[in-house]
Amino acid sequence: MPRGILNLGILAHVDAGKTTLTERLLYCAGVIDAPGSVDEGTTQTDTLALERQRGITIKSAVVSFTVGDTTINLIDTPGHPDFIAEVERALSVLDGAVLVVSAVEGVQPQTRILWRALQRLCVPTLFFVNKIDRRGAGYDRVLADIAGRLTQAIIPMGSVSGLGTRGAAVVPEYTDDTDDRDDTAARARLAELLAEHDDAVLAAYLDDQAALPSGWLREKLAGQVRDTLAHPVYFGSAITGAGVEALLHELGGLLPAAGQDAGGLPSGRVFKVGRGPAGDKIAYVRMFSGTIATRDRVRFGHDRDGKVTAISVFADGAAVRREEVTAGQIAMLSGLADIRIGDMIGAASQDADGHYFAPPTLETALVARDPGGKPRLHAAITEIAEQDPLINVRQDDIRQEIYVSLYGEVQKQVIEATLATEYGIEVGFRETTPICVERPVRTGTAEEILHAPANPFLATLGIRIDPAPPGTGTAVRLAVGHQSVPLYIYKNMESFAAAMEDYITRTLHQGLYGWQVTDCTVSLIRSQYSVADGPPSARGPLSGPQDFRKLTPLVVMAALKRAGTVVCEPVHRFRLETPADTLTGLLPVLARLHVVPAVAATRDSWCTLEGDIPVTRVHELRQQIPPLTRGEGVMESSFDRYEPVRGPVPTRPRTDDNPLNREEYLDRVLRRGVREKDVRQTGG
Ligand SMILES: Nc1nc2c(ncn2[C@@H]2O[C@H](COP(=O)(O)OP(=O)(O)OP(=O)(O)O)[C@@H](O)[C@H]2O)c(=O)[nH]1
Ligand SMILES: [Mg+2]
């Protein structure tokens, strides 16, 4: 019998209990004989030595189990904000998600960030309110918190007895067998909630509340979950197991199964890259359509390919060899040496690479302790970057230093430990500095004219840069007609537009001060090429692609110089809950860190401070909290926005051919001639 497949993500703020819940679900599904423990390092996911030592999840992991006729591939994700990149990759392969919220802490900063991403991607989402056994657990309070800070469209799926005690238990509502029970009131409540988006439910509700068929209501509920109009909320405890059985049995019924178009052209997405025992690369792929079999040659990314040498799928707790993987499934593919995280595989190898979270905001230079160890370090960190491309390894030409981008100190420690244990390389770090951005301040235009004496390239290009609102990123627009575009090179306007966008965005990787340029619209306002039988102004040797590619950086940078840029640094928003009597010690420290907090709330003898803090100070403040608050203060912070830097403007060493300096650029680029491979572009 063909089975439904559900690719399910478990997401939450750090420590909410995702891994413990995963363990409990595996146990309830009969995959393991006893649930393991995060605290003892005996879980099915969290298998890395570092994860076990630290008791946190660092990498996403896949496990599989079966409930009824649904196979569930569960992806347990890390909650620590330093590892948000792992969540980002998992998001694009999910059919549904469980967002875990702690019954004690309620909605936390990362919960909101994850929720927003799930909403944007329209991932059907259930809530699991965990830790109902812990002292201080809430029910109404947590529901109000979710309703107030995430969504009103929630449907509590049960009530809790013994809340906040080890014996806390869940009484499910609206389960499959509710027809057997007399719970007219519960069904009426459900109908009331569903009626908001469904006139048929409203009519039935108004007609006869007592006669509402529960099977029909559940179908309606599943429909609204699928359309992300409704979000059932389950309560429970991953530790005691309360409420987990109920959640397990609802997953297949309420969340939509994966499409299984096995006949179509193969297409899938790589959401994780790991290494096998022999160091060989393993790509974790979610298939959207078609089938891939062992020994198939597949295309991925834009222009790479490889032959699949082995395929494993996840089945009831273990990886199992298969001859093929088909639509809807998740598999591990071996043999694809050039594959990277985020690649689309197969027919649709177009990269729809959206980013749902803020990019890393810190960077640091890595230094091998062994002076001769730089080449090995470079090879090792490049391999690590295959699994985590957002660390964005760069080497600057002048100082030959290896830079990595980071989300925070914990990620840095993990990189250090990974290099030491897996590669035997001891490293140190230079100072961690913020990754700034540059925003254009006014409109700037520039052009280079074909056949003008100072223009060595066979092309005319005119570019205008306009500032755009903060947070909107960069957009490239074409404002030229097809008669001014060399269509013998670019085939059509779309591919010309794509090529220009590529040249322009590469140039904008480093602005006037060396930082990524953002929040602007770049318009191509003039273009011309040269051809033997053209009008006098455009007559001459035929233009080639290199003329457009090499001229673009020059014109873009000239326009940017006229626009001017302001360097902006990343700023976090933080929230600190602390006993009120610790404020006298805390406030001077905050002042020294240039933080001006506001008191957001006071409750009993507790106080909540909120404020902005430059990203570079977050770690320092975090370290100061425990000694200053007797270990009771809880600080949370997350990236909020970029703000103009006050004081000296930081610059970043250039890694490109520096189109900022016209003479130097022309000298280097022309001297190198037209040998394609030698042209190094920014950020490449
Ligand atoms: N009392 C209680 N403790 C729990 C429960 N679930 C998890 N914990 C504890 O909470 C801590 C964190 O649990 P994890 O399962 O590692 O949480 P996580 O969400 O996977 O954490 P990260 O992956 O690091 O974000 C551990 O000490 C667990 O034992 C629960 O239902 N009740
Ligand atoms: Mg975990």
Side-chain angles (χ1 to χ4, degrees), residues 18-19 46 57 76-77:
K18 297 170 289 293
T19 302
D46 282 7
T57 304
D76 177 21
T77 63

PDB file of all heavy atoms in Angstrom, residues 18-19 46 57 76-77, ligand 2:
ATOM      1  N   LYS A  18      13.147  20.352  21.886  1.00  0.00           N
ATOM      2  CA  LYS A  18      12.963  19.733  20.565  1.00  0.00           C
ATOM      3  C   LYS A  18      13.565  18.329  20.509  1.00  0.00           C
ATOM      4  O   LYS A  18      12.932  17.388  20.056  1.00  0.00           O
ATOM      5  CB  LYS A  18      13.635  20.585  19.468  1.00  0.00           C
ATOM      6  CG  LYS A  18      13.063  21.957  19.315  1.00  0.00           C
ATOM      7  CD  LYS A  18      13.915  22.824  18.389  1.00  0.00           C
ATOM      8  CE  LYS A  18      15.262  23.235  18.985  1.00  0.00           C
ATOM      9  NZ  LYS A  18      15.205  24.123  20.120  1.00  0.00           N
ATOM     10  N   THR A  19      14.799  18.217  20.966  1.00  0.00           N
ATOM     11  CA  THR A  19      15.479  16.926  20.870  1.00  0.00           C
ATOM     12  C   THR A  19      14.831  15.913  21.813  1.00  0.00           C
ATOM     13  O   THR A  19      14.654  14.745  21.465  1.00  0.00           O
ATOM     14  CB  THR A  19      16.982  17.109  21.191  1.00  0.00           C
ATOM     15  OG1 THR A  19      17.508  18.059  20.254  1.00  0.00           O
ATOM     16  CG2 THR A  19      17.740  15.813  21.082  1.00  0.00           C
ATOM     17  N   ASP A  46      21.305  14.680  17.988  1.00  0.00           N
ATOM     18  CA  ASP A  46      22.402  15.157  18.854  1.00  0.00           C
ATOM     19  C   ASP A  46      23.474  14.076  19.010  1.00  0.00           C
ATOM     20  O   ASP A  46      23.850  13.698  20.125  1.00  0.00           O
ATOM     21  CB  ASP A  46      21.911  15.552  20.264  1.00  0.00           C
ATOM     22  CG  ASP A  46      21.238  16.909  20.292  1.00  0.00           C
ATOM     23  OD1 ASP A  46      21.033  17.492  19.203  1.00  0.00           O
ATOM     24  OD2 ASP A  46      20.913  17.386  21.389  1.00  0.00           O
ATOM     25  N   THR A  57      21.782  21.247  20.463  1.00  0.00           N
ATOM     26  CA  THR A  57      21.840  20.776  19.088  1.00  0.00           C
ATOM     27  C   THR A  57      22.609  21.794  18.258  1.00  0.00           C
ATOM     28  O   THR A  57      22.413  22.998  18.404  1.00  0.00           O
ATOM     29  CB  THR A  57      20.413  20.595  18.535  1.00  0.00           C
ATOM     30  OG1 THR A  57      19.709  19.707  19.392  1.00  0.00           O
ATOM     31  CG2 THR A  57      20.432  20.038  17.126  1.00  0.00           C
ATOM     32  N   ASP A  76      15.092  17.401  13.336  1.00  0.00           N
ATOM     33  CA  ASP A  76      15.308  18.075  14.623  1.00  0.00           C
ATOM     34  C   ASP A  76      16.324  19.185  14.365  1.00  0.00           C
ATOM     35  O   ASP A  76      17.429  18.929  13.901  1.00  0.00           O
ATOM     36  CB  ASP A  76      15.849  17.050  15.638  1.00  0.00           C
ATOM     37  CG  ASP A  76      16.180  17.695  16.984  1.00  0.00           C
ATOM     38  OD1 ASP A  76      15.648  18.786  17.278  1.00  0.00           O
ATOM     39  OD2 ASP A  76      16.991  17.101  17.741  1.00  0.00           O
ATOM     40  N   THR A  77      15.939  20.418  14.646  1.00  0.00           N
ATOM     41  CA  THR A  77      16.807  21.556  14.310  1.00  0.00           C
ATOM     42  C   THR A  77      17.413  22.168  15.568  1.00  0.00           C
ATOM     43  O   THR A  77      16.883  21.985  16.663  1.00  0.00           O
ATOM     44  CB  THR A  77      15.994  22.650  13.583  1.00  0.00           C
ATOM     45  OG1 THR A  77      14.979  23.142  14.472  1.00  0.00           O
ATOM     46  CG2 THR A  77      15.350  22.127  12.320  1.00  0.00           C
TER      47      THR A  77
HETATM   48 MG    MG B   2      18.051  19.967  20.400  1.00  0.00          MG
END
